[in-house]
């Protein structure tokens, strides 16, 4: 096995195998126009091949004139107008980027209108909310995808192939962490991430789901049990400021992760196997920096620097391509639900101080 063989054609779109792309584009209604939508999602859509934004849904229509002008968006709806079914002829799919607790309602509305749905992670603030979202799309027979952008980064996709084909032997342990200053910059304590009702939790729900879902993607398995420890005080009294959690996967594989809303920034992931080890570093979970993967086997280190490819653009193009061609969609709503079930079990474990088996029931 030659490590570089996996990364020679690094940016290939393995999901876009046709010689010609599908005809047309998928027109998106972007539900929620906060900082992530403005700075990351809308530019990614504009830069894509198969997607375009045609409608904005916001609680402050007067505050989005700069965005509508920059991206040529002609329709702006209030949330009430969106839920009432206004302008449904102006979009084909809905991208939900509201606070977590508001995802299910926006998804249910989209499903009722027969629109495909791409929802930000986590799928909901609660397990019941995630079940509602998945059921609404299943009942309406519309696709639902959870926006795990990491699965569309070229480095991560190639890394999954390497791990899946025995590049480190049998996986044994995963380690990782993601942390940032949630109160940094212009962000103060009056934000939805610190509201337990809107967010469903703190660092775990916002950034801890990145190593969680990326681990599930790389080893292609669901964890069966979890232990966890949380800390939070002051402005973090209602949410976890810091969390450390350990996951048990089938076949004896374990994962130890941390997430944080304060302290020095962190963004890394590693996998150790029976025959080697890989590290994903240089902002493993960030949106702006190129990623570096290091593979260790037989006392040899191979290093590959990732390209400046926007995984958010790739995510939108993948989803739109699948909608246009009727292709299979992953990560789907069921995967998003499973991650919410894992986070619920982690919080239960932190509160009880005991190991908690993860329940994936749809009941």
């Amino acid at each position: 096995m030659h490590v570089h063989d996996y990364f020679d054609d690094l940016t290939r779109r393995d999901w876009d195998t046709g010689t010609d792309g599908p005809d047309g584009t998928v027109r998106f209604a972007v539900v929620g126009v906060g900082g992530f939508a403005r700075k990351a999602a809308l530019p990614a859509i504009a830069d894509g091949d198969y997607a375009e934004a045609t409608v904005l849904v916001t609680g402050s229509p007067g505050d989005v004139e700069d965005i509508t002008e920059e991206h040529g968006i002609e329709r702006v709806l209030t949330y009430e107008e969106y839920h009432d079914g206004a302008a449904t002829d102006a979009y084909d799919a809905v991208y939900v980027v509201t606070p977590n607790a508001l995802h299910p309602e926006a998804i249910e509305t989209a499903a009722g209108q027969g629109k495909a749905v791409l929802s930000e992670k986590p799928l909901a603030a609660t397990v019941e909310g995630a079940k509602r979202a998945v059921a609404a799309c299943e009942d309406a027979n519309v696709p639902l995808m959870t926006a795990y952008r990491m699965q569309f980064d070229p480095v991560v996709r190639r890394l999954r192939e390497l791990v899946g084909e025995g590049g480190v032997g049998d996986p044994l342990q995963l380690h990782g962490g993601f942390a940032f200053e949630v109160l940094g910059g212009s962000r103060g304590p009056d934000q939805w991430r610190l509201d337990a009702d809107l967010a469903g939790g703190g660092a775990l729900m916002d950034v801890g789901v990145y190593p969680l879902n990326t681990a599930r993607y790389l080893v292609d398995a669901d964890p069966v049990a979890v232990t966890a420890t949380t800390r939070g005080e002051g402005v973090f009294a209602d949410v976890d400021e810091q969390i450390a959690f350990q996951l048990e996967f089938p076949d004896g594989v374990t994962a130890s992760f941390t997430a944080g809303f304060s302290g020095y920034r962190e963004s890394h992931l590693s996998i150790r196997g029976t025959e080697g080890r890989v590290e994903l570093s240089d902002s493993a979970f960030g949106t702006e920096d190129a990623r570096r993967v290091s593979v260790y086997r037989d006392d040899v280190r191979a290093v590959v620097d990732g390209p400046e490819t926007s995984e958010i653009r790739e995510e939108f193009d993948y989803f739109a391509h699948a909608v246009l061609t009727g292709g299979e969609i992953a990560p789907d709503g069921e995967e998003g639900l499973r991650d919410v079930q894992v986070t619920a079990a982690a919080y239960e474990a932190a509160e009880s101080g005991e190991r908690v088996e993860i329940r994936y029931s749809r009941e």
Side-chain angles (χ1 to χ4, degrees):
M1 183 206 73
H2 298 286
V3 170
H4 283 278
D5 290 346
Y6 290 95
F7 299 97
D8 281 345
D9 191 12
L10 186 59
T11 60
R12 70 183 183 276
R13 288 178 159 183
D14 48 85
W15 46 267
D16 190 1
T17 56
T19 55
D20 298 315
D23 293 331
T25 59
V26 171
R27 302 170 302 160
F28 279 90
V30 177
V31 181
V33 194
F36 187 82
R38 288 172 174 266
K39 297 175 183 178
L42 284 166
I45 294 172
D47 194 37
D49 296 323
Y50 304 129
E52 62 176 316
T54 56
V55 175
L56 297 182
V57 181
T58 174
S60 304
D63 295 338
V64 298
E65 293 180 0
D66 57 331
I67 299 298
T68 58
E69 182 176 347
E70 178 180 356
H71 295 288
I73 299 172
E74 297 182 357
R75 297 301 302 268
V76 177
L77 305 177
T78 65
Y79 287 107
E80 182 178 11
E81 289 171 332
Y82 165 71
H83 290 299
D84 286 343
T88 54
D89 59 342
Y91 61 95
D92 311 302
V94 170
Y95 170 54
V96 179
V97 62
T98 58
N100 305 337
L102 306 181
H103 291 177
E105 183 180 15
I107 292 170
E108 288 171 327
T109 293
Q113 295 163 353
K115 306 296 185 181
V117 185
L118 172 61
S119 174
E120 266 306 325
K121 58 77 205 161
L123 192 59
T126 65
V127 171
E128 290 308 312
K131 289 180 179 179
R132 278 174 46 205
V134 173
C137 292
E138 287 179 346
D139 292 345
N141 196 29
V142 298
L144 169 61
M145 178 170 140
T146 310
Y148 285 116
R149 56 180 173 78
M150 292 297 298
Q151 295 193 22
F152 301 95
D153 178 82
V155 169
V156 176
R157 292 184 80 83
R158 304 293 81 80
L159 184 56
R160 186 180 196 236
E161 294 170 357
L162 184 147
V163 172
E165 295 180 18
V168 295
D170 297 326
L172 296 172
Q173 294 179 323
L174 296 90
H175 296 88
F178 193 10
F180 78 111
E181 285 277 1
V182 75
L183 298 178
S186 61
R187 300 182 298 268
D190 187 21
Q191 57 175 289
W192 68 266
R193 287 181 178 84
L194 304 185
D195 184 328
D197 291 334
L198 285 176
L204 174 61
M205 298 297 281
D206 194 58
V207 291
V209 291
Y210 284 97
L212 162 60
N213 185 264
T214 305
R216 292 180 57 226
Y217 178 69
L218 291 176
V219 301
D220 194 22
D222 294 326
V224 297
V226 59
T227 57
T229 302
T230 60
R231 189 189 75 184
E233 55 187 20
V235 297
F236 302 103
D238 295 328
V239 298
D240 44 301
E241 177 185 2
Q242 311 287 342
I243 185 168
F245 59 106
Q246 184 175 64
L247 302 170
E248 300 174 24
F249 286 87
D251 300 322
V253 179
T254 62
S256 299
F257 296 134
T258 59
F261 269 168
S262 64
Y264 195 75
R265 64 187 180 277
E266 180 181 33
S267 183
H268 71 93
L269 179 70
S270 66
I271 305 175
R272 185 175 68 87
T274 56
E275 299 177 20
R277 176 168 62 92
V278 296
E279 294 180 353
L280 192 61
S281 58
D282 289 0
S283 189
F285 303 111
T287 60
E288 299 177 359
D289 300 325
R291 296 182 176 91
R292 167 174 289 182
V293 59
S294 301
V295 183
Y296 300 82
R297 279 180 64 99
D298 302 323
D299 298 323
V300 175
R301 179 191 183 204
V303 179
V304 177
D305 288 315
E308 294 183 0
T309 300
S310 168
E311 71 267 23
I312 303 174
R313 183 198 67 204
E314 293 297 288
E315 174 184 69
F316 276 103
D317 267 352
Y318 166 90
F319 177 78
H321 183 279
V323 170
L324 290 168
T325 61
E328 183 178 350
I329 284 181
D332 58 11
E334 179 68 28
E335 182 165 339
L337 167 59
R338 284 175 172 252
D339 277 341
V340 177
Q341 289 168 322
V342 175
T343 60
Y347 284 133
E348 181 183 341
E351 183 175 356
S352 67
E354 298 179 355
R355 173 183 178 273
V356 172
E357 294 186 356
I358 301 168
R359 299 176 292 275
Y360 292 114
S361 171
R362 289 290 299 274
E363 299 300 324

